Amino acid sequence: MTSIELRHITTDGPRARPLLDDINLVVPSGTTLAITGPDGAGKSRLLRTIVGLEEQTSGDVLIDDIVVNAVDPRGRDIAMVFQDFALHPHLDVFDNLAFSSVLRKGYDKDELSDRINEVADLLALTDLLDLRPAELDEPQRQRVALGRALVREAHAYLFDAPFAAQPERVRTHVRSVTTQWQQEAGRTSIFTTSSVEEALSSADRVAVMHQGFIHQVGTPRELYDRPADMFVAGYLGAPPMNLVPATPQGQQLVMPLGTMLLDDALVERIGDRGLVVAGIRPEHCHDGTHPATTPVTDRVEFTTRIDDIEWRGSSQFAYLGYEIAPEVEASLAEVEELLEFGLFQNFLVAQLPADSELRAGMSIRVVIPRGRVQVFDPQTGENLTLP
């Protein structure tokens, strides 16, 4: 199979703001990369640049270590699934599935037919092979576009939000059979998604992208457990990480709901910053009164009032409100305006066992392992907890 590498890909945009900002990525042969980020992050443009439909201002696209900047899309031989599906309205489903493969010389007609029928079976298209796109609903048309890429033999495969049109009850299945097909064939694949869960569950590595910039690339676990910056921390997770303003005071970090002791190394990294942001995942907040809660010795602990409860079946979310000083709130609002993304709330979300007898208005003792709390610079976004 084929490796893909991007070196310092930049595409200039209006008002001196780049549409793609110094993108560096390596996708080893036979692996799957998910690119996730909010709408407008630049994910689709990046795929179109790789395939050769968009031209970058500077930087290099390499396929198998060969710079292909001057090679047209056909010469790059990359299969791509577009968000608008790009089906041929005069062809039936079978011929749409075959179209990209037929354009390439040297294909075996019987092998291609067998592969089309196999992919059609995977994507629940077998009963639709004689229909034309106008006779299909949107999820079916998307599966045809997806199937056309799976049928084709190409150097690499790019999928632009390939599951977005699928209803929730079948989306997981379509995603699973697609990734399994690609992995079993050892195909190099890149797909984009705005779904964090989809990105974390379906790829070998994940790139988090926003404002045309790659914030971090790594395995799903690396990104979730060790986010490089505040945006990655606040974007990944459902619900996402709580980002709480905090004031360093010597060996202590004072948060609205509690105080945490700081070790010497973190005190040194915080330096003279007067304001930082503490990151706490909801699942790391424990009900201190629940009998099943494992004792935590090195911890942050506080008692507060529950503002609201959301019961989710397997767990429940407790919303714990707190006050933020007006000057701190203004500073955080500036960060959000710069990022064009909402990160901060005036409450902490705790994900607790479903059998905890909790209700709005009651008090709760919350225990958080100190090693689970991450500390960020609100201006640069840097994760100060990482060495």
Side-chain angles (χ1 to χ4, degrees), residues 174-196:
V174 173
R175 183 175 73 229
S176 176
V177 297
T178 298
T179 54
Q180 184 176 355
W181 177 276
Q182 294 295 92
Q183 289 168 357
E184 288 180 352
R187 291 172 163 181
T188 305
S189 307
I190 304 174
F191 74 89
T192 70
T193 178
S194 295
S195 167
V196 171

Side-chain angles (χ1 to χ4, degrees), residues 47-360:
L47 290 197
R48 292 173 67 87
T49 301
I50 295 171
V51 82
L53 296 172
E54 299 274 358
E55 186 176 353
Q56 67 270 25
T57 305
S58 61
D60 297 318
V61 177
L62 291 83
I63 298 177
D64 274 343
D65 299 323
I66 298 172
V67 176
V68 295
N69 295 353
V71 179
D72 64 14
R74 183 178 177 85
R76 298 187 190 191
D77 192 19
I78 295 176
M80 181 162 176
V81 176
F82 296 90
Q83 285 194 38
D84 62 1
F85 312 151
L87 301 179
H88 298 279
H90 62 290
L91 300 179
D92 62 21
V93 169
F94 185 95
D95 287 338
N96 265 289
L97 290 173
F99 187 82
S100 296
S101 300
V102 170
L103 288 179
R104 268 68 190 170
K105 296 180 180 180
Y107 71 93
D108 183 283
K109 190 172 183 179
D110 291 334
E111 286 184 5
L112 177 58
S113 180
D114 290 344
R115 195 157 63 247
I116 288 172
N117 284 303
E118 187 176 356
V119 169
D121 182 57
L122 282 176
L123 298 178
L125 297 172
T126 301
D127 295 337
L128 310 175
L129 291 174
D130 295 329
L131 302 181
R132 295 188 177 185
E135 301 173 272
L136 307 177
D137 60 24
E138 186 177 22
Q140 291 167 340
R141 289 195 294 272
Q142 185 178 55
R143 296 203 300 276
V144 174
L146 182 58
R148 179 178 56 194
L150 300 187
V151 165
R152 181 183 162 190
E153 292 292 343
H155 284 151
Y157 298 79
L158 308 184
F159 303 91
D160 197 5
F163 316 115
Q166 301 306 306
E168 282 302 316
R169 62 185 180 85
V170 300
R171 181 167 176 161
T172 302
H173 173 73
V174 173
R175 183 175 73 229
S176 176
V177 297
T178 298
T179 54
Q180 184 176 355
W181 177 276
Q182 294 295 92
Q183 289 168 357
E184 288 180 352
R187 291 172 163 181
T188 305
S189 307
I190 304 174
F191 74 89
T192 70
T193 178
S194 295
S195 167
V196 171
E197 178 187 1
E198 200 160 77
L200 295 179
S201 64
S202 305
D204 302 304
R205 295 165 71 245
V206 176
V208 180
M209 188 174 186
H210 184 43
Q211 295 176 320
F213 174 73
I214 298 288
H215 284 253
Q216 188 176 2
V217 183
T219 66
R221 185 175 293 276
E222 286 170 349
L223 267 62
Y224 192 81
D225 290 344
R226 299 168 64 85
D229 63 31
M230 196 164 56
F231 176 78
V232 176
Y235 184 72
L236 296 184
M241 179 180 282
N242 296 290
L243 295 173
V244 182
T247 304
Q249 295 182 8
Q251 292 288 139
Q252 293 185 327
L253 189 63
V254 180
M255 298 174 279
L257 291 173
T259 298
M260 182 179 86
L261 292 175
L262 300 171
D263 57 41
D264 292 339
L266 189 50
V267 168
E268 184 177 350
R269 285 195 289 272
I270 290 174
D272 61 357
R273 293 174 175 87
L275 176 68
V276 295
V277 172
I280 304 167
R281 294 249 177 237
E283 63 270 26
H284 296 154
C285 301
H286 305 294
D287 180 357
T289 62
H290 192 278
T293 298
T294 303
V296 179
T297 54
D298 190 7
R299 66 194 184 197
V300 180
E301 183 176 350
F302 58 86
T303 300
T304 189
R305 177 182 178 275
I306 298 175
D307 289 338
D308 195 16
I309 287 286
E310 285 185 6
W311 193 77
R312 299 296 184 96
S314 59
S315 64
Q316 56 187 325
F317 296 155
Y319 292 86
L320 315 174
Y322 54 79
E323 298 292 328
I324 303 176
E327 63 274 14
V328 172
E329 197 164 14
S331 179
L332 299 181
E334 291 177 3
V335 173
E336 290 184 324
E337 184 177 359
L338 184 64
L339 278 175
E340 300 175 321
F341 191 81
L343 288 174
F344 306 107
Q345 305 289 347
N346 60 350
F347 55 82
L348 182 140
V349 183
Q351 184 175 342
L352 304 171
D355 60 351
S356 288
E357 296 293 332
L358 304 174
R359 64 184 183 277

